[in-house]
Amino acid sequence: MTASAQESISRHYNIFNPSIDSLSRATFHVSAPAARVVSVVGDFDSAPLTLKRDSTGLWSGTTGPLPSELYTYRLVIDSTEFADPANPYQVRDIAGISNMMIVGGGKGDNFMARDVPHGTVSKVWYNSPSMGRERRMTIYTPPGYEASTDSFPVLYLLHGMGGDEDAWNELGRAAHILDNMIADGKAEPMIVVMPNGNGRQWAAPGFTSQGLYQPALELSVADNDQFEKSFNEIVSFVDDRYRTKTDRRHRAIAGLSMGGGHAWKISAMNPDMFDAVALFSAKVGWKGDPNADTNTEEMDIFMKPLLDNPPSYYIMSIGRDDFLLENNREFDDFLNSHDMKHDFVLSEGGHCWRNWRDYLTALLPRLFKDAK
Amino acid sequence: MTASAQESISRHYNIFNPSIDSLSRATFHVSAPAARVVSVVGDFDSAPLTLKRDSTGLWSGTTGPLPSELYTYRLVIDSTEFADPANPYQVRDIAGISNMMIVGGGKGDNFMARDVPHGTVSKVWYNSPSMGRERRMTIYTPPGYEASTDSFPVLYLLHGMGGDEDAWNELGRAAHILDNMIADGKAEPMIVVMPNGNGRQWAAPGFTSQGLYQPALELSVADNDQFEKSFNEIVSFVDDRYRTKTDRRHRAIAGLSMGGGHAWKISAMNPDMFDAVALFSAKVGWKGDPNADTNTEEMDIFMKPLLDNPPSYYIMSIGRDDFLLENNREFDDFLNSHDMKHDFVLSEGGHCWRNWRDYLTALLPRLFKDAK
């Protein structure tokens, strides 16, 4: 074996992807001597990054300078997609595993652990009498919660279709964002409750007696708003188990996509419950819901309790490429026509976690500031 | 496109691996039309399972009947190893990701979620003054803990070299095992504390300000027993934060490999602390430690406090192929020569999680039974 081949083999065993240089360019190496075409597909670029093979079978390629951000990617080897074996930082979205990479030096830093006090993240089971099951949720308690005797405000943070109680903390990096923003004085210390919002699923795949089954999109259209109707059970559980401030001013609800629809409905169904409501790329309104038989008058009726008793802060955030934009425009018009104060924030991009992390980051400083 | 090709494509999109038939044979499908050789390497067989290609580029293969067990595996495609993209149930061991599969109908069921009451699993940070850092641990509280006012016994469960505070719960399935065995009346309800036992690492990769770095084996040989010496800080933290029974009869310690060495040392350094001590494939004794300058007399001195005040239960469990067997035989001889009552259990196999899950399963019924 030549020295160069030996060097190459030793290189192949020491791959860690990506390496990120001082210009924020990410370099990938893939050891795949028999492959014909190797590329990296990720949300750092709309085009795949095609890697080039060297004489030892090591493929490599480098992106251009990347804005500071958390990105996800996969390898495509001869048209089959794989998670990158040289990067163990992975996230699951429904049944698909992607690798994670963070370009620091800017907002990406907000999604990484820093040397700041850390909250506790717990996987907790609660009983839902209305759904007839123990159900799983993720709870974040802020740094200092356990050593304190204070009560804390609560943000209920709801995932989208395809997600579960793990989604906001894994894909959404909720605990990292909270730790960092609380440390920087940008967010009040708060409890964050991330329940499983699927009407017919009671825990993330692998945590039920269904065993290790194939995760699939959990469709909520036919579940008769079971989750929304059961939400008071979650609030009661949280107020019972944790030291919470139980008045309206110390409760907020936010959700993305299907969970944005949940936040919309739950806040209207419980008008005394939340003082801040955030709809991220929300499935708001009944448009596109095959089982809905509703019209403008029904929205009037549904929203009346909240219109009569509006929360202090109500925000809709959505990307200009989002397929739910029209739903959101219509609801924005509805709120305007009923003079309900709210923000409508249009961002770049579409229906994706990159936006939802940003929306959460923008929301947190608005919560519980004046509610001491 | 022919009907058969269409059917094949639709099949390729619906792959979930493995499918396990009624004879406990596992079938794998891999869509890799351009690949030349595809196999599955896993701990279900010492030989790789070579898959066969059909005309559409779908590779498949079936194992023989497998004993009920949790197995891990990877794909090897043209000599490069990948996690299986058709199985999102994955575990990390140091920097490597493997897929997980469970063959039920026997002891494998013990490693799966069942419809039984579930404990809470929390990721908690504690302060270690002696190590100068906040450090991360995993805590299991048993079903009913939060709703109760009772105090509970505590098992300290320590990982091996290459592991961290996530290892026992992820690779070791500790929470599933505890939930199931408590439900079956085979284990007392107990708190299980799984700290990070690496002297120079304070949290699992990705949970520190080091960012998303390449995980590597954390060598403990040069850390001057920092973790062992700091252990009373963990016990104090746990007794302070949780409703624990704080007497010796209600504390146990167990560890695997390096963590077995920790359990050995910590129990000897704190002879009043633990009434049950379990060493799984333990790095017991100073043999093979390049920095140790010790001899038989030193073992006498080191062990004297525990020999004078032996725990009710002391067990060494190790596989007959384990590279640490000689260390364990020597220590077994030492305990015999000093008439310290203990069990020495020799199992099949080597230094692997399959054994450690079994050793934990065998240990739990022995803990805290008579200590009401």
Side-chain angles (χ1 to χ4, degrees):
Chain A
M1 192 182 292
T2 66
S4 135
Q6 273 186 331
E7 188 196 347
S8 165
I9 284 170
S10 103
R11 255 189 313 166
H12 291 217
Y13 277 106
N14 284 297
I15 299 174
F16 177 72
N17 282 331
S19 54
I20 299 174
D21 69 16
S22 59
L23 298 177
S24 298
R25 298 178 302 197
T27 295
F28 298 86
H29 291 102
V30 177
S31 173
R36 293 161 206 182
V37 186
V38 177
S39 62
V40 180
V41 288
D43 56 5
F44 54 82
D45 196 344
S46 54
L49 174 71
T50 304
L51 305 190
K52 290 178 87 167
R53 187 188 192 285
D54 76 5
S55 60
T56 69
L58 187 69
W59 299 75
S60 56
T62 301
T63 67
L66 297 173
S68 177
E69 180 58 274
L70 184 160
Y71 300 100
T72 57
Y73 73 93
R74 292 181 197 165
L75 305 182
V76 185
I77 300 185
D78 297 334
S79 80
T80 302
E81 285 196 20
F82 296 97
D84 181 353
N87 176 350
Y89 300 98
Q90 306 194 341
V91 285
R92 181 183 62 82
D93 199 359
I94 313 180
I97 302 283
S98 298
N99 300 90
M100 191 167 64
M101 60 184 248
I102 296 179
V103 176
K107 81 170 183 180
D109 296 339
N110 201 33
F111 310 137
M112 286 204 252
R114 287 167 40 202
D115 281 336
V116 297
H118 298 288
T120 299
V121 176
S122 299
K123 303 294 177 177
V124 173
W125 292 77
Y126 73 98
N127 185 43
S128 167
S130 75
M131 295 172 83
R133 280 214 178 271
E134 296 271 317
R135 293 171 54 79
R136 192 166 175 263
M137 59 167 72
T138 302
I139 304 253
Y140 171 88
T141 51
Y145 172 87
E146 288 85 357
S148 146
T149 55
D150 292 348
S151 294
F152 289 80
V154 184
L155 167 64
Y156 292 85
L157 189 58
L158 311 180
H159 64 80
M161 203 174 280
D164 54 49
E165 72 278 12
D166 292 342
W168 260 111
N169 203 48
E170 300 295 323
L171 291 149
R173 307 290 279 176
H176 293 295
I177 294 171
L178 266 290
D179 282 353
N180 291 332
M181 292 186 71
I182 291 170
D184 291 345
K186 293 179 180 164
E188 292 292 308
M190 67 182 81
I191 296 167
V192 183
V193 176
M194 294 161 269
N196 185 308
N198 298 305
R200 291 174 300 183
Q201 183 193 59
W202 59 101
F207 289 93
T208 73
S209 56
Q210 295 166 282
L212 306 184
Y213 64 94
Q214 179 163 32
L217 205 62
E218 289 289 330
L219 297 178
S220 65
V221 286
D223 72 6
N224 296 315
D225 297 348
Q226 274 198 77
F227 176 70
E228 297 92 309
K229 290 174 185 162
S230 76
F231 203 78
N232 60 329
E233 297 169 347
I234 293 175
V235 175
S236 298
F237 171 84
V238 169
D239 285 342
D240 189 50
R241 165 112 19 131
Y242 295 87
R243 294 190 318 278
T244 59
K245 294 186 172 167
T246 58
D247 59 312
R248 188 196 199 204
R249 297 197 66 190
H250 293 92
R251 280 204 205 102
I253 189 165
L256 73 90
S257 193
M258 174 185 83
H262 291 161
W264 158 58
K265 284 186 185 172
I266 292 163
S267 60
M269 289 156 67
N270 302 279
D272 295 323
M273 204 174 261
F274 303 102
D275 202 39
V277 178
L279 314 184
F280 301 161
S281 309
K283 173 74 175 62
V284 62
W286 291 279
K287 187 187 188 73
D289 182 342
N291 295 324
D293 177 24
T294 54
N295 52 40
T296 316
E297 288 80 55
E298 295 206 33
M299 186 62 94
D300 279 346
I301 296 164
F302 185 69
M303 285 297 291
K304 185 164 192 313
L306 205 65
L307 294 170
D308 290 346
N309 183 18
S312 301
Y313 189 61
Y314 199 98
I315 179 172
M316 305 164 68
S317 313
I318 191 160
R320 56 179 85 244
D321 304 326
D322 197 301
F323 70 96
L324 289 172
L325 184 56
E326 199 179 326
N327 286 52
N328 280 259
R329 293 272 193 214
E330 278 183 15
F331 191 64
D332 180 41
D333 290 343
F334 173 87
L335 295 179
N336 283 329
S337 69
H338 290 74
D339 289 325
M340 187 169 128
K341 202 180 103 192
H342 69 286
D343 286 346
F344 184 93
V345 178
L346 192 64
S347 75
E348 296 303 310
H351 204 75
C352 61
W353 275 103
R354 188 193 302 198
N355 275 345
W356 302 325
R357 287 185 292 265
D358 286 354
Y359 300 163
L360 177 63
T361 303
L363 174 66
L364 292 176
R366 305 297 299 260
L367 299 180
F368 315 127
K369 275 291 180 196
D370 312 310
K372 294 284 162 82
Chain B
M1 193 182 291
T2 65
S4 136
Q6 274 186 331
E7 188 197 347
S8 166
I9 284 171
S10 104
R11 255 189 314 164
H12 291 217
Y13 277 106
N14 285 297
I15 300 172
F16 177 72
N17 281 332
S19 55
I20 299 174
D21 69 16
S22 59
L23 297 177
S24 299
R25 300 178 301 196
T27 295
F28 298 85
H29 292 102
V30 178
S31 174
R36 293 161 207 183
V37 186
V38 177
S39 62
V40 180
V41 288
D43 56 5
F44 54 83
D45 196 344
S46 55
L49 175 70
T50 303
L51 306 190
K52 291 179 88 166
R53 187 187 192 285
D54 75 6
S55 60
T56 69
L58 188 68
W59 299 75
S60 56
T62 300
T63 67
L66 298 173
S68 178
E69 179 59 272
L70 185 160
Y71 300 100
T72 57
Y73 73 94
R74 292 182 198 165
L75 305 182
V76 185
I77 301 185
D78 296 333
S79 78
T80 302
E81 285 197 20
F82 296 97
D84 182 352
N87 178 349
Y89 301 98
Q90 306 194 341
V91 286
R92 181 183 62 82
D93 200 0
I94 312 180
I97 303 283
S98 298
N99 299 90
M100 190 166 66
M101 60 185 247
I102 297 180
V103 175
K107 81 170 185 183
D109 296 339
N110 201 33
F111 311 136
M112 286 204 251
R114 286 166 42 201
D115 281 334
V116 297
H118 299 288
T120 298
V121 176
S122 300
K123 303 295 177 177
V124 173
W125 292 77
Y126 72 98
N127 185 44
S128 168
S130 76
M131 296 172 83
R133 279 211 178 271
E134 295 271 318
R135 292 171 55 80
R136 192 166 175 264
M137 59 168 71
T138 301
I139 305 254
Y140 171 88
T141 51
Y145 172 86
E146 289 85 356
S148 147
T149 54
D150 291 349
S151 293
F152 289 81
V154 184
L155 167 63
Y156 292 85
L157 189 58
L158 310 180
H159 65 80
M161 203 175 282
D164 53 50
E165 72 278 12
D166 292 342
W168 260 112
N169 203 48
E170 300 294 323
L171 291 149
R173 308 288 281 177
H176 293 295
I177 295 171
L178 266 290
D179 282 353
N180 291 333
M181 293 185 70
I182 291 170
D184 292 344
K186 293 179 181 165
E188 291 293 309
M190 66 182 81
I191 296 167
V192 183
V193 176
M194 296 161 267
N196 185 307
N198 298 305
R200 292 173 300 183
Q201 183 193 59
W202 59 102
F207 288 93
T208 73
S209 57
Q210 295 166 281
L212 306 184
Y213 65 94
Q214 178 161 33
L217 205 62
E218 290 287 330
L219 297 177
S220 66
V221 286
D223 73 6
N224 295 314
D225 298 348
Q226 274 198 76
F227 175 71
E228 298 91 311
K229 289 174 186 161
S230 76
F231 202 79
N232 60 329
E233 298 169 345
I234 293 176
V235 175
S236 298
F237 171 84
V238 168
D239 285 342
D240 189 50
R241 164 106 28 126
Y242 296 87
R243 294 190 318 277
T244 59
K245 293 187 171 167
T246 57
D247 60 311
R248 188 196 198 204
R249 297 197 67 189
H250 292 92
R251 278 205 207 103
I253 189 166
L256 73 89
S257 194
M258 173 184 85
H262 290 162
W264 158 57
K265 284 187 184 170
I266 291 163
S267 60
M269 290 157 67
N270 302 277
D272 295 323
M273 204 174 262
F274 303 102
D275 201 40
V277 178
L279 314 184
F280 301 161
S281 307
K283 173 73 175 61
V284 63
W286 291 279
K287 187 187 188 71
D289 182 342
N291 295 324
D293 177 24
T294 54
N295 52 41
T296 316
E297 289 80 55
E298 296 207 30
M299 186 62 94
D300 280 344
I301 296 164
F302 185 70
M303 285 296 292
K304 185 165 194 309
L306 204 66
L307 294 169
D308 290 347
N309 182 19
S312 300
Y313 190 59
Y314 200 99
I315 179 171
M316 306 165 67
S317 312
I318 190 159
R320 54 180 86 245
D321 304 327
D322 196 301
F323 69 95
L324 289 172
L325 183 57
E326 199 180 327
N327 285 54
N328 281 260
R329 294 269 194 217
E330 279 185 13
F331 191 65
D332 179 43
D333 289 344
F334 173 87
L335 294 179
N336 283 329
S337 69
H338 290 75
D339 290 325
M340 185 168 128
K341 202 180 102 193
H342 68 286
D343 285 347
F344 183 94
V345 178
L346 192 64
S347 74
E348 296 304 310
H351 205 74
C352 60
W353 276 102
R354 188 192 302 198
N355 275 344
W356 302 325
R357 286 185 293 265
D358 286 353
Y359 300 163
L360 178 63
T361 303
L363 174 67
L364 291 176
R366 306 297 300 259
L367 299 181
F368 315 127
K369 276 291 179 195
D370 312 311
K372 293 285 163 82

